[in-house]
Amino acid sequence: MAITALDPDQVLAQLPLWRRHDGERIAIERSLKFADFNAAFGFMTRVALLAEKADHHPEWSNVYNRVEVLLTTHDADGVTERDLAMARFIDEAAAAFGTEQ
């Protein structure tokens, strides 16, 4: 079954805290800042558990209290419903761990 890419602008209209990735790939990204490393790592752990269950993994990096997240679906060469669902979960998890916006 083919995975269909969505219009990134339509996806971003539903995700006010996200932006289009400024690179060659079609992707969305978000920068997060937490109170400290423990909060950032707790957030990443929560997202990792869902990512493993969904078999859809973010590209991300962490430095102390900051986390950079990029979402794209490689099989579709773009952003899909899987990325939209993951972004929504990330937003909820970030709020639960007290991200600074």
Side-chain angles (χ1 to χ4, degrees):
M1 182 174 181
I3 300 172
T4 304
L6 304 173
D7 179 339
D9 292 328
Q10 291 181 354
V11 171
L12 290 170
Q14 301 175 57
L15 301 168
L17 300 173
W18 293 76
R19 63 187 175 278
R20 183 187 283 260
H21 173 63
D22 186 27
E24 294 181 17
R25 295 182 299 155
I26 300 171
I28 59 174
E29 61 187 6
R30 180 172 175 198
S31 300
L32 302 111
K33 182 179 178 185
F34 297 89
D36 55 27
F37 177 77
N38 285 337
F41 197 81
F43 158 78
M44 292 179 75
T45 301
R46 183 172 290 177
V47 173
L49 292 171
L50 176 75
E52 194 64 19
K53 182 177 178 182
D55 193 28
H56 189 62
H57 304 88
E59 295 178 27
W60 56 10
S61 64
N62 164 242
V63 176
Y64 183 59
N65 67 336
R66 297 179 185 276
V67 179
E68 300 291 328
V69 183
L70 183 139
L71 298 175
T72 189
T73 301
H74 301 284
D75 295 342
D77 291 322
V79 179
T80 67
E81 287 289 340
R82 297 178 83 190
D83 300 301
L84 179 58
M86 180 67 70
R88 286 179 172 149
F89 182 82
I90 286 171
D91 287 348
E92 291 173 12
F97 279 90
T99 186
E100 301 170 10
Q101 294 186 25

